[in-house]
Amino acid sequence: AIVAQAIRTVTARRLLLLPTGSLSRPPHAMAHDVAAPTELASAEAAAAAGAPETVRVSAATAARIAARELSQAQAVADSVAVELPTHVVGSRCEVAPGGRRGTVRFVGHPGGVPRPLVGVELDEPLGPDVQRGGHWLDGVDYFQPSNPDSAVVWKAPYDVVCGDFPELDPFAGSGDSDD
């Protein structure tokens, strides 16, 4: 009977959005604790918080959720990016296999992988391991490529050689046809 009463009380608090600590007071004493109509849960606040349509969220809770998500995103970005002196973000590189050229856009541990990976934006979409965008398998964007349709590969540092690798000119050596 005590467990059933506790379940009913917890359910009632969730439905009415009563403040915590109100379990010890009788229901008629808790009536004035219910939030004002502007603070009641709404579908709009739930949508803003990214909750399903069937869940109601107050504006204050939506704000807390947004702040938590921002904090977690910043913590993820800070914990996954690393610096390798041989692979500086923004440097030109050549990627194995095939001598593909591109620009280093990210160095770190995407998705929590134990060893660092290098995210390279390729000049040309060559190879079976090419994907679009700066996200890893977990769907998190770790960098923004220069173009949303840019070809990107994620490689171990030993597969990426940084140095003086200018973009390849497909017409180099073809001669001048304007003569």
Side-chain angles (χ1 to χ4, degrees):
I2 295 173
V3 173
Q5 176 61 33
I7 291 172
R8 282 193 297 271
T9 305
V10 169
T11 304
R13 184 183 332 130
R14 285 184 182 160
L15 293 175
L16 295 175
L17 297 174
L18 297 175
T20 56
S22 60
L23 283 176
S24 60
R25 296 183 305 201
H28 67 278
M30 294 187 289
H32 70 279
D33 290 340
V34 177
T38 58
E39 292 296 320
L40 287 178
S42 68
E44 294 83 20
E53 292 179 18
T54 57
V55 176
R56 304 271 186 228
V57 178
S58 71
T61 302
R64 282 190 221 112
I65 291 171
R68 184 191 70 210
E69 294 290 326
L70 180 64
S71 173
Q72 288 177 344
Q74 183 61 39
V76 166
D78 290 345
S79 68
V80 298
V82 297
E83 289 186 28
L84 295 177
T86 55
H87 295 79
V88 179
V89 173
S91 62
R92 294 288 299 165
C93 63
E94 191 170 72
V95 180
R100 301 173 288 177
R101 293 186 179 187
T103 305
V104 174
R105 295 292 183 204
F106 177 84
V107 179
H109 302 272
V113 294
R115 294 187 180 156
L117 291 177
V118 180
V120 178
E121 181 178 344
L122 296 175
D123 297 338
E124 298 178 22
L126 301 172
D129 55 352
V130 173
Q131 68 179 46
R132 302 285 179 196
H135 59 275
W136 175 244
L137 298 174
D138 58 2
V140 175
D141 285 333
Y142 291 96
F143 67 91
Q144 293 296 324
S146 61
N147 180 349
D149 291 331
S150 294
V152 174
V153 292
W154 295 87
K155 292 292 192 175
Y158 57 81
D159 284 334
V160 180
V161 178
C162 293
D164 184 23
F165 296 103
E167 289 189 35
L168 294 175
D169 183 4
F171 301 108
S174 64
D176 190 14
S177 63
D178 290 341
D179 289 337

